[in-house]
Amino acid sequence: MKKVRKATWLFFAAPIICLIINSGAWVGASVKQVDGPAYILSVDGEPQAFFSEVSGLPTIKKTAQRPSIIAFKEGRSNRIFAQRCRELIKAKRSRVRLELVFIDSFGKQKGHWLLLNSRPVKFDGPDLNAKGEEVSIETLEFLCEYIEVIDDDD
């Protein structure tokens, strides 16, 4: 069984500072600053990006077992994540496990979703020829076969 190294997140209130320490295939070590609330997207257990807006998520404490399109908007990540998403869109068969956490302006977790058997179907962002490691993402859509709302209060 493959050992998964957990990423470390440090949160400070307004603006939220997120420190991502990771050596996985998707992303390198980086420091991100988020002004206000954010949705933090993890792929296969590793934090990859954060977004200011997400649509298509169930909000009640139940599972959605029909395939759904989840749209992530106004996000930031790095070039490795953006390239990997574009590769998966072309492959049309790879599936990943997504985890999404909503953090409010005070650094408190306010929502948690598990999105299984997901694959990216749309990526709108700048060309990867630009200099720098950080990439802005206008829209990233995933087709998710199974969505579960996690109640972390249990």
Side-chain angles (χ1 to χ4, degrees), residues 47-144:
Q48 301 299 324
F50 48 92
F51 297 86
S52 62
E53 183 183 332
V54 177
S55 62
L57 289 171
T59 56
I60 56 175
K61 305 280 188 227
K62 69 173 194 173
T63 60
Q65 296 180 350
R66 293 188 318 219
S68 300
I69 296 283
I70 307 299
F72 301 89
K73 297 182 180 181
E74 298 178 20
R76 306 225 30 98
S77 186
N78 68 20
R79 296 167 57 86
I80 296 169
F81 175 74
Q83 182 63 37
R84 184 73 177 126
C85 286
R86 288 183 169 156
E87 290 169 3
L88 288 174
I89 289 170
K90 289 178 186 174
K92 294 186 180 181
R93 64 182 181 275
S94 296
R95 302 282 194 270
V96 293
R97 177 187 183 272
L98 301 177
E99 191 169 350
L100 185 66
V101 174
F102 177 67
I103 305 294
D104 70 9
S105 298
F106 302 104
K108 303 266 190 227
Q109 181 175 315
K110 295 295 184 178
H112 189 178
W113 297 264
L114 188 60
L115 304 104
L116 300 175
N117 293 334
S118 303
R119 69 176 176 90
V121 293
K122 180 180 179 183
F123 182 96
D124 288 334
D127 288 335
L128 296 178
N129 297 336
K131 294 180 181 177
E133 286 300 310
E134 192 168 283
V135 174
S136 63
I137 301 171
E138 294 171 24
T139 304
L140 174 60
E141 292 182 358
F142 276 87
L143 175 64
C144 305

Side-chain angles (χ1 to χ4, degrees), residues 29-50:
S30 59
V31 178
K32 309 285 184 192
Q33 182 171 343
V34 181
D35 295 320
Y39 290 90
I40 300 167
L41 178 64
S42 296
V43 179
D44 293 331
E46 306 222 3
Q48 301 299 324
F50 48 92

